[in-house]
Amino acid sequence: NRLTYAKLTGGTLAVRAPLSYLPQTGGEVLEEKVTQLRLYSGAKYQAAEAVSAGQVCALLGLTQTYPGQGLGAEPPAPPPLLEPVVTYRLVLPPDCPAQVLLPKLRQLEEEDPMLRFVWDSRWKQIQVRLMGQVQLEVLKRVIAQRFDLEVDFGPGRVLYRETIADTVEGIGHFEPLRHYAEAHVLLEPGEPGSGLTFATSCSEDVLARNWQRLILTHFAEKEHLGVLIGVPITDMKLTLLTGRAHEKHTEGGDFRQATYRAIRQGLMEAKKKGDCRLLEPWYGFRLEVPQD
């Protein structure tokens, strides 16, 4: 059973009460019923018919909750302040295929927002992104306890990022037989730590709203890799300037290809001008100690 631990900050919650929420992956709002309420004391619990404000309980019946999520009138908690900065290759026993273990590891990922597993399609291996050695040792022990599996890790690599120093325009064109799409994207440098932001300045008279929404979705649906050393880009604003579609031959997947190509072509143009920048992670610390 999936247990969702929550603290009620207001009102009451009863068994069979419906809860509406948006999954972390986006999409449509889910409405699910709480099938059971549990009040835990250590490993033991007692079932409750209802809980009130101030109580901490475990909810059953919700299938796509995640840590920090706000349910009901409660807003979501802010994302973690720290991001993982080191990636390790997960070394599996010969009799354990990565495709079998990865769905199980997703359970651990859902429980800990600081943990992230990535499937590297180029090398056909699982990468885990962590803060460092201590978290690595804890994860190794948790996998052994939960899944009865002894795993190891390869050497750690720093997670670099790429950005640009000046504005550039990228154009993506996709036109195989009976397919057509074109996208013009403006890439602008953002403030350090701002991540990626997306916008459109394209008129709906030029490109229909549904195609524009699709392009904005393609902006955000994956990590776009830079052209210096092939690591994800950050601290940039991507703006759709204009685009073209064909009445008969344009399909949704055509704009995916055109969008990806426009971003990459813009990055290549920035590289030619010497405006690509490699970023390495750093943290600032404040340490307070007694006067003596």
Side-chain angles (χ1 to χ4, degrees):
N1 287 321
R2 182 188 182 90
L3 301 178
T4 299
Y5 290 89
K7 179 179 181 179
L8 264 72
T9 56
T12 58
L13 180 65
V15 176
R16 308 304 300 174
L19 280 176
S20 299
Y21 64 92
L22 187 66
Q24 190 172 22
T25 53
E28 297 182 356
V29 174
L30 290 178
E31 182 172 295
E32 298 178 326
K33 289 186 177 181
V34 178
T35 57
Q36 188 180 11
L37 293 169
R38 295 181 180 180
L39 300 175
Y40 273 87
S41 177
K44 298 181 180 179
Y45 71 88
Q46 65 180 54
E49 288 299 316
V51 291
S52 56
Q55 288 186 289
V56 176
C57 62
L59 288 63
L60 279 76
L62 308 183
T63 60
Q64 297 189 46
T65 49
Y66 60 91
Q69 184 178 23
L71 300 172
E74 189 69 26
L81 292 176
L82 299 180
E83 287 189 16
V85 295
V86 186
T87 182
Y88 298 87
R89 177 174 63 90
L90 193 62
V91 182
L92 302 177
D95 59 345
C96 179
Q99 292 85 347
V100 174
L101 182 62
L102 189 58
K104 297 179 180 179
L105 296 176
R106 296 292 184 207
Q107 298 176 18
L108 304 180
E109 192 177 56
E110 289 180 343
E111 296 170 11
D112 184 357
M114 294 294 291
L115 189 62
R116 187 160 178 217
F117 294 98
V118 178
W119 172 250
D120 191 330
S121 58
R122 290 179 295 177
W123 303 103
K124 307 298 180 185
Q125 61 189 18
I126 299 174
Q127 302 276 351
V128 57
R129 297 179 179 179
L130 302 168
M131 295 300 297
Q133 193 66 33
V134 174
Q135 196 179 8
L136 200 66
E137 295 172 2
V138 173
L139 177 61
K140 186 174 181 178
R141 188 169 67 247
V142 169
I143 292 176
Q145 292 173 346
R146 291 278 288 269
F147 309 124
D148 192 24
L149 188 65
E150 294 294 333
V151 299
D152 210 343
F153 298 93
R157 293 186 296 107
V158 174
L159 286 169
Y160 293 95
R161 293 286 186 267
E162 293 185 26
T163 190
I164 56 176
D166 199 5
T167 301
V168 66
E169 181 180 346
I171 301 173
H173 192 82
F174 184 70
E175 193 177 2
L177 184 64
R178 295 182 181 177
H179 292 270
Y180 182 83
E182 186 175 317
H184 295 235
V185 179
L186 188 70
L187 287 71
E188 300 173 273
E191 291 295 322
S194 61
L196 293 177
T197 56
F198 314 112
T200 177
S201 61
C202 181
S203 169
E204 293 183 13
D205 295 333
V206 176
L207 189 65
R209 179 184 298 183
N210 62 312
W211 295 128
Q212 294 191 39
R213 286 178 174 174
L214 193 59
I215 292 173
L216 292 176
T217 299
H218 296 325
F219 281 166
E221 69 186 359
K222 75 162 193 170
E223 284 189 329
H224 300 280
L225 302 181
V227 294
L228 285 179
I229 62 172
V231 295
I233 59 174
T234 188
D235 297 347
M236 293 168 54
K237 180 181 180 181
L238 307 181
T239 304
L240 172 64
L241 296 177
T242 187
R244 295 178 65 187
H246 192 278
E247 288 186 5
K248 295 181 179 180
H249 298 319
T250 298
E251 299 178 359
D254 299 346
F255 272 109
R256 174 181 285 110
Q257 295 298 324
T259 302
Y260 291 176
R261 294 180 181 195
I263 294 172
R264 185 164 183 84
Q265 198 264 338
L267 293 172
M268 293 296 294
E269 288 296 319
K271 183 179 180 181
K272 289 179 183 177
K273 298 191 297 180
D275 288 332
C276 286
R277 297 288 184 269
L278 189 64
L279 307 176
E280 66 176 348
W282 61 273
Y283 290 123
F285 293 93
R286 176 188 175 97
L287 181 65
E288 297 186 4
V289 297
Q291 188 171 358
D292 57 354

